[in-house]
Structure formats: C-alpha cells, structure tokens
C-alpha cells in the first residue's frame, strides 16, 4: 500500500541448513523464501537480501565455535550456492553480512573465546567467506551486485585539540578496517595498528587468501546510520556511546540527531572507496502516543526523515555521491534491539503491544505512513509537509 519498491530482509541460515553441515538444503526452508520473493515480485518490489544477519545454525557454534573455525567458511559458501541457485533469477542485490563491524564489540557468531586475536581471526574468516560468496555469485548470477552492511555513526573529535583529532582517526580506523578490506580487497597497512590495540601482532592468513579477497571485493557499500558520536583522547578504545555533542538535539533515548552527519558519512565512504553506497537503515526511536481514533501524529518522525533524506539528496546532487537506494528502519513497530523495549518505536505502522507483550497486535497507520507513501511515489522529490 505504501508503494515500496525495495524490501530488505534476511534469510535464516538454519532454515536452509538446520545444522549447517548438511550437503542437501531443506526444501521447506527454500520454499518459504520462494513464497516471500514471489509475493514481492507480484508488487514490483525488489528484494534486497541479507544472507547472514548475526546468526548461524547452532550446531556450527557448538561444534566448531563458529567463525573461529575455517570449516564454517565452506558451510557458508554451500549455503550461498543454494540461495543463488534457487533465487538468482529474481534477486540482484545481496548483502553477505549484517553490521559485520559490530563483532569488534560483541564477537562473531558462535565464537566463545572473546580475546582480541580469536575475534579478529574469526573476522578474517568472515572476510574470506564474503569474498568467496561474491565470486560465486558473480559467476552464477551475471549482473548481480554484492555488498556488506556496516554500522556507521559519524564520529567527530570532541575538540580541535591534536590529541583528540588523532584519537578520532584511530577510532575511525576500527570501521575502515572492515570496509577497506572488503571493498578494496586487501588489508590496509594500518591493520597492524588495529591488531596491536587488541593485544596481538598478526592473524593467520593462508596461501591464496589475499587473492580471494582481491577477486571477491564488494560491488557496493551499505550501512546503517542513526546518529553521530564524538570522541576525545582518553575515551575507551571501543566507545559506542561516545562523548556528548552540545550542538545537536537528541531523541528521548539520548541519541544525537545529526542529518548533516549522514551527508558527511556518505562523502567519507564514497571519497574513500568510490563505489556505490546503499543506506539500509536509518530511523528514529520515539515514544508514540496513539489517540482515540487509533492515529499517531508523529510529526517528529517526519521531520527526522525529511532532514535526513534532504541530506542524502544533497550528497548525491551536490557532492556527486553514487547512492543506490535507501531503506528505513523499520516500516512496522518492533522490539528495539538497543533497549529491548516496545515503547521505543521506529515504524510507520503502529503495533498494539506494550513492553510486557500485552496488546491486540492490531496495526494502525501513523501520520508518517501517508507522508512516506508520498515520498516514495515522487522518488524522493517531494519531501514537503503538505
């Protein structure tokens, strides 16, 4: 009804290979996503598929300790091959991993040992798996495009003090490490500095790995953007929240609202990589009050999206950034990952459920539903409040 022309969704690995070690995929799982994709095609909606969204079959985690074991690379590639065979005639855009850089804070799927070297060795295996999937996808589906998704918050130095500036540079490399390796196809020399900050000197790179990374580099870079952060000398090395920014308003959960930061971030990535980008998550968590007519006047959400979409348009039309598309997080209210709350709502569609799980689960269109429907119909040209 809104007129969406792209829908990003994730395929659950264990639906296709329940343990991950099978040689034959699960037909019921494949059929489930056939139905999803066919329904999308019926409405001329392009699938944007995330192959691995922070999960894997439990057996691979328990038996092999997840991505710390190279065996999982082969399991992942076999899984990808099944997807490409089944859906490749209808699906062009693929993401090999969701927010792959988040593993620096939480650890790769299935990896129980949390020391830095184990974590970054597992990340290397994910890099190789992504590159192999990209190579295979290009062979099996000519014209297909492969990206990976990164969690990106713009990061500013708290002051122009040189120590703050250099600390920001080092912190930013924690993100560039992932993007550079996967989109350029090689480890940048600063990788050794990143490793040293995590307590080790090198990772195991087997013969042939460098060639695989080079051949399997990404076609585009996708990322989530919700906010910006600041950092200063002395901040923890992995400081998710960052320092406060006195120049920006905040959401009810204290997240800075920084649309210009989105434009800045788009330029940073495109200047560095010079490949198309895709904004696959952007949105505002807010407390929505539904009235007696089951309607939500969420003008704050419209304003947030209006400002960010205008910033995206400026990055494209003025700065020359090549942007493939935009998907907002998320169209329907859901439990927030960051807080575990239902009251932190993101959607255009209100879902009647509270933090305790009580409610009818009925869905109601918010004011932003009708506004964004107009935006889609105009291909982003009409961002007015009329």
């Amino acid at each position: 009804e809104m007129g969406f022309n792209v829908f990003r969704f994730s395929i659950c690995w264990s639906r296709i290979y329940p343990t991950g070690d099978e040689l034959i995929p699960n037909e019921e799982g494949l059929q489930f996503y056939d139905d999803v994709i066919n329904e999308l095609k019926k409405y001329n909606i392009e699938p944007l598929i995330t192959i691995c969204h922070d999960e894997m079959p439990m057996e691979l985690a328990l038996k092999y300790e997840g991505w710390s074991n190279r065996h999982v690379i082969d399991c992942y590639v076999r899984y990808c091959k099944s997807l490409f065979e089944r859906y490749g005639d209808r699906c062009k855009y693929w993401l090999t991993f969701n927010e792959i850089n988040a593993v620096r804070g939480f650890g790769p799927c299935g990896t129980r040992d949390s020391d830095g070297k184990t974590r970054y060795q597992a990340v290397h295996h994910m890099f190789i798996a992504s590159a192999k999937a990209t190579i295979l996808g290009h062979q099996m589906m000519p014209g297909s495009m492969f990206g990976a998704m990164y969690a990106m918050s713009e990061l500013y130095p708290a002051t122009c003090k040189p120590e703050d500036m250099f600390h920001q540079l080092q912190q930013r490399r924690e993100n560039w490490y992932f993007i550079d390796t996967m989109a350029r196809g090689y480890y940048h020399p600063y990788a050794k500095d990143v490793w040293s900050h995590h307590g080790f000197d090198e990772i195991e790179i087997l013969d042939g790995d460098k060639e695989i990374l080079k051949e399997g580099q990404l076609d585009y870079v996708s990322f989530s953007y919700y906010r910006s952060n600041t950092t200063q000398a002395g901040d923890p090395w992995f400081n998710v929240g960052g320092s406060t920014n006195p120049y920006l308003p905040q959401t009810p959960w204290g997240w800075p609202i920084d649309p210009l930061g989105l434009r800045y971030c788009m330029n940073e990535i495109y200047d560095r990589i010079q490949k198309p980008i895709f904004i696959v998550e952007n949105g505002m968590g807010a407390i929505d009050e539904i009235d007696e007519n089951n309607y939500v006047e969420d003008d704050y959400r419209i304003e947030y999206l209006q400002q960010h979409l205008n910033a995206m348009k400026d990055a494209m039309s003025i700065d020359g950034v090549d942007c493939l598309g935009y998907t907002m997080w998320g169209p329907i209210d859901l439990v927030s990952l960051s807080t575990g709350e239902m009251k932190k709502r993101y959607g255009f569609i209100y879902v009647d459920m509270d933090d305790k799980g009580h409610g009818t689960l009925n869905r109601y269109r918010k004011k932003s539903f009708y506004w964004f429907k107009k935006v889609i119909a105009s291909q982003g040209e009409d961002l007015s409040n009329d």
Side-chain angles (χ1 to χ4, degrees):
E1 183 181 341
M2 286 188 73
F4 270 56
N5 51 34
V6 60
F7 179 61
R8 174 177 172 241
F9 66 98
S10 307
I11 292 179
C12 179
W13 188 344
S14 57
R15 270 183 167 160
I16 311 303
Y17 286 94
T19 72
D21 260 337
E22 296 91 348
L23 299 180
I24 305 298
N26 173 33
E27 175 58 30
E28 287 182 291
L30 290 171
Q31 184 60 51
F32 176 88
Y33 293 104
D34 261 330
D35 295 342
V36 172
I37 293 167
N38 289 339
E39 188 73 7
L40 292 174
K41 289 297 183 178
K42 186 167 72 175
Y43 294 99
N44 298 312
I45 299 175
E46 187 74 34
L48 172 59
I49 296 178
T50 303
I51 297 171
C52 183
H53 195 130
D54 309 334
E55 49 77 43
M56 66 167 46
M58 181 65 75
E59 184 77 5
L60 297 183
L62 296 176
K63 187 174 181 179
Y64 301 105
E65 295 199 23
W67 286 106
S68 61
N69 192 315
R70 284 189 74 107
H71 173 75
V72 175
I73 298 174
D74 296 332
C75 297
Y76 177 86
V77 174
R78 182 166 59 245
Y79 160 54
C80 290
K81 185 172 185 290
S82 295
L83 302 186
F84 302 159
E85 287 175 340
R86 189 67 167 248
Y87 314 128
D89 61 331
R90 287 160 289 163
C91 301
K92 177 179 179 180
Y93 299 98
W94 302 81
L95 299 173
T96 55
F97 289 99
N98 176 77
E99 291 193 340
I100 184 171
N101 57 323
V103 302
R104 67 178 190 245
F106 306 106
C109 290
T111 304
R112 289 194 288 268
D113 192 339
S114 61
D115 74 87
K117 184 169 184 178
T118 300
R119 187 171 297 179
Y120 276 80
Q121 186 65 54
V123 166
H124 174 72
H125 297 159
M126 296 172 80
F127 288 165
I128 297 298
S130 174
K132 284 191 169 187
T134 300
I135 294 167
L136 181 65
H138 287 158
Q139 293 170 349
M140 296 179 64
M141 304 176 295
S144 58
M145 295 189 69
F146 282 80
M149 191 272 218
Y150 308 90
M152 292 293 287
S153 296
E154 190 47 63
L155 185 64
Y156 308 123
T159 74
C160 55
K161 185 179 178 181
E163 288 80 1
D164 289 349
M165 295 289 290
F166 192 74
H167 186 73
Q168 184 268 352
L169 170 68
Q170 290 182 307
Q171 289 276 6
R172 204 62 172 151
R173 282 176 172 174
E174 286 281 334
N175 275 329
W176 296 137
Y177 176 91
F178 293 82
I179 296 176
D180 283 346
T181 307
M182 299 179 77
R184 289 179 168 182
Y186 59 88
Y187 282 103
H188 193 284
Y190 68 70
K192 293 183 178 179
D193 182 56
V194 172
W195 297 338
S196 70
H197 275 280
H198 292 278
F200 62 97
D201 296 326
E202 59 184 12
I203 58 174
E204 182 182 54
I205 300 176
L206 300 187
D207 291 342
D209 281 0
K210 292 181 179 179
E211 291 74 17
I212 291 169
L213 288 176
K214 194 68 176 178
E215 185 180 355
Q217 59 187 278
L218 302 175
D219 301 308
Y220 65 99
V221 174
S222 75
F223 63 96
S224 60
Y225 178 88
Y226 295 95
R227 56 179 290 176
S228 62
N229 291 322
T230 62
T231 190
Q232 56 191 347
D235 277 350
W237 185 251
F238 182 63
N239 186 23
V240 177
S243 305
T244 57
N245 190 330
Y247 301 102
L248 296 173
Q250 297 181 346
T251 72
W253 276 266
W255 289 25
I257 299 174
D258 185 8
L260 184 58
L262 174 60
R263 180 178 176 183
Y264 192 100
C265 195
M266 292 173 69
N267 274 277
E268 269 192 314
I269 295 172
Y270 194 64
D271 287 352
R272 190 179 191 94
I273 304 299
Q274 294 186 344
K275 290 183 177 181
I277 64 175
F278 203 132
I279 301 165
V280 294
E281 286 185 28
N282 172 239
M284 175 189 183
I287 300 172
D288 293 338
E289 299 291 343
I290 193 164
D291 66 18
E292 65 277 8
N293 297 314
N294 296 319
Y295 191 65
V296 176
E297 293 267 1
D298 56 341
D299 293 289
Y300 41 85
R301 180 169 291 108
I302 293 173
E303 182 180 7
Y304 176 97
L305 293 170
Q306 185 182 46
Q307 292 173 348
H308 283 75
L309 290 173
N310 270 315
M312 183 179 76
K313 287 179 68 175
D314 288 343
M316 297 165 65
S317 62
I318 299 174
D319 307 327
V321 175
D322 184 359
C323 183
L324 291 173
Y326 172 96
T327 55
M328 179 265 193
W329 184 271
I332 301 171
D333 285 345
L334 75 171
V335 177
S336 170
L337 168 66
S338 59
T339 67
E341 296 172 297
M342 191 68 193
K343 71 178 180 182
K344 187 180 184 183
R345 297 175 182 270
Y346 284 87
F348 302 117
I349 298 168
Y350 185 92
V351 178
D352 180 26
M353 189 175 81
D354 63 19
D355 287 346
K356 302 297 183 181
H358 303 140
T360 64
L361 296 181
N362 289 340
R363 300 177 181 186
Y364 304 103
R365 301 165 188 83
K366 304 176 188 178
K367 185 177 181 179
S368 59
F369 178 97
Y370 301 99
W371 179 82
F372 203 70
K373 181 177 182 178
K374 177 191 68 172
V375 171
I376 296 173
S378 69
Q379 281 290 78
E381 290 301 317
D382 187 356
L383 296 176
S384 68
N385 287 327
D386 300 333

